[in-house]
Amino acid sequence: MITISNLKKQFGETIACDIPAFSINDGDILGLVGNNGAGKTTLFRMILDLLQPDHGTVSINGINPASSEEWKKYVSAYIDEGFLIDYLTPEEYFDFLGKISGLTTDVMSQRLQKYEHFAGGEVFGQKKLIRNLSAGNKQKVGIISALIRETEIVILDEPFNFLDPTSQNILKKTLKQYVEDTKATIIISSHNLQHTMDISTRIALLEKGHIIRDLSDVNSEAQHELEDYFKD
C-alpha cells in the first residue's frame, strides 16, 4: 500500500502537488489522468524519492522512501529514458537488472519469454544498443524492465507513448495478465483516456496538483464523468 499525507510541491508560483490524504491499495490498477501540468509526473517522482516534497510524506508498505532504501524491493518503475542504461543492449540491460535483483539466469530467461510478444521481434536479438533503438522500442525495454522483477508495485508514466496501436493493445493485455499472475498494484499515468479506462480498476483525476476525483472504474463506471470533464 502507498499512503500519501499532506504532500505538497510548488515550483515558483505553480502548485505541482497538493494532496492532503490519498491511499493506493494493494491490487489497484490505478490510472492517473489529467491535462498537461496536472502534476502526474511530479507525484510519481516524489513517490520514487526522485524529487523532494516541500511538505508531507509518502509511505510505501509503511516505509518512507526518503528515510530508507527498503522500499526499493517492493517497487519497479519506468518514467523516462533516464531509467535506461543506453550504452548496453537490451539483453545486457536485463541481465544487469537480474543480477542486482538476485535473479538467476534461468529465472530471467523464463520471465523474458512472457514479453516476447510485446517486444514484437524488435527488441530481443537485434544486437543494437538501447540508444540506437527507436523511441517505441526504448519504451518497450523500459516497460519490460519494470515488469521483469515482478515487484508488488509497478509505476509507469505514459506507457502508451511511442507505441504503435498493436503494441498498445498488447500492452493492455500484458498489464492485466501481470496483475492476475502477481496480484500486484499497478499505477499508470496516461493522456490516452480510453486505454487508461480499459485497464484501470480505479482512476484519480488530477487538476493543478490536486486530486479532484477518485473514481471506481471496475466496470467502466468512470467513463461518463471523465468524458464530461475532458469535453471541449
Side-chain angles (χ1 to χ4, degrees), residues 90-154:
E91 287 86 352
E92 290 170 337
Y93 181 54
F94 296 136
D95 183 58
F96 167 75
L97 291 177
K99 287 177 178 176
I100 64 172
S101 302
L103 301 174
T104 66
T105 301
D106 287 344
V107 168
M108 285 296 289
S109 295
Q110 291 170 8
R111 292 186 182 182
L112 285 171
Q113 287 177 8
K114 299 178 185 179
Y115 303 108
E116 286 183 351
H117 185 42
F118 175 55
E122 299 177 323
V123 173
F124 303 133
Q126 299 304 296
K127 298 182 179 179
K128 287 185 178 180
L129 302 180
I130 292 172
R131 66 162 67 107
N132 295 327
L133 297 176
S134 68
N137 288 329
K138 288 177 183 176
Q139 187 84 348
K140 291 179 180 181
V141 171
I143 292 167
I144 293 170
S145 73
L147 299 177
I148 201 74
R149 292 177 54 221
E150 298 190 357
T151 53
E152 296 177 21
I153 299 168
V154 176

Side-chain angles (χ1 to χ4, degrees), residues 136-179:
N137 288 329
K138 288 177 183 176
Q139 187 84 348
K140 291 179 180 181
V141 171
I143 292 167
I144 293 170
S145 73
L147 299 177
I148 201 74
R149 292 177 54 221
E150 298 190 357
T151 53
E152 296 177 21
I153 299 168
V154 176
I155 295 174
L156 300 172
D157 194 12
E158 296 290 351
F160 300 105
N161 272 6
F162 310 118
L163 299 183
D164 59 44
T166 297
S167 297
Q168 290 175 349
N169 287 326
I170 294 171
L171 177 58
K172 287 190 289 186
K173 294 176 182 177
T174 298
L175 294 178
K176 287 182 179 180
Q177 189 64 52
Y178 181 90
V179 171

Side-chain angles (χ1 to χ4, degrees), residues 7-218:
L7 195 65
K8 296 182 180 181
K9 185 65 182 180
Q10 191 163 336
F11 298 103
E13 298 298 316
T14 301
I15 297 173
C17 182
D18 187 355
I19 302 174
F22 189 69
S23 294
I24 302 168
N25 305 312
D26 295 341
D28 278 348
I29 305 178
L30 176 68
L32 297 183
V33 299
N35 291 315
N36 287 336
K40 302 182 296 294
T41 300
T42 297
L43 176 57
F44 279 165
R45 290 190 173 277
M46 287 191 288
I47 291 174
L48 296 169
D49 195 34
L50 298 172
L51 183 66
Q52 185 176 0
D54 297 330
H55 183 75
T57 59
V58 173
S59 173
I60 300 175
N61 290 346
I63 301 166
N64 184 342
S67 303
S68 170
E69 299 290 311
E70 282 296 303
W71 64 277
K72 292 183 178 179
K73 64 186 179 184
Y74 303 118
V75 182
S76 295
Y78 181 66
I79 304 297
D80 55 37
E81 288 183 26
F83 277 53
L84 304 175
I85 304 176
D86 68 358
Y87 57 81
L88 300 178
T89 65
E91 287 86 352
E92 290 170 337
Y93 181 54
F94 296 136
D95 183 58
F96 167 75
L97 291 177
K99 287 177 178 176
I100 64 172
S101 302
L103 301 174
T104 66
T105 301
D106 287 344
V107 168
M108 285 296 289
S109 295
Q110 291 170 8
R111 292 186 182 182
L112 285 171
Q113 287 177 8
K114 299 178 185 179
Y115 303 108
E116 286 183 351
H117 185 42
F118 175 55
E122 299 177 323
V123 173
F124 303 133
Q126 299 304 296
K127 298 182 179 179
K128 287 185 178 180
L129 302 180
I130 292 172
R131 66 162 67 107
N132 295 327
L133 297 176
S134 68
N137 288 329
K138 288 177 183 176
Q139 187 84 348
K140 291 179 180 181
V141 171
I143 292 167
I144 293 170
S145 73
L147 299 177
I148 201 74
R149 292 177 54 221
E150 298 190 357
T151 53
E152 296 177 21
I153 299 168
V154 176
I155 295 174
L156 300 172
D157 194 12
E158 296 290 351
F160 300 105
N161 272 6
F162 310 118
L163 299 183
D164 59 44
T166 297
S167 297
Q168 290 175 349
N169 287 326
I170 294 171
L171 177 58
K172 287 190 289 186
K173 294 176 182 177
T174 298
L175 294 178
K176 287 182 179 180
Q177 189 64 52
Y178 181 90
V179 171
E180 185 176 323
D181 291 344
T182 66
K183 313 304 179 188
T185 300
I186 290 184
I187 313 166
I188 70 165
S189 74
S190 180
H191 284 118
N192 191 308
L193 195 59
Q194 189 59 56
H195 287 334
T196 305
M197 291 189 294
D198 285 346
I199 66 170
S200 298
T201 59
R202 182 182 175 197
I203 292 179
L205 174 58
L206 279 77
E207 182 180 286
K208 297 180 179 179
H210 300 82
I211 295 177
I212 61 170
R213 301 282 193 281
D214 181 6
L215 306 169
S216 172
D217 198 44
V218 175

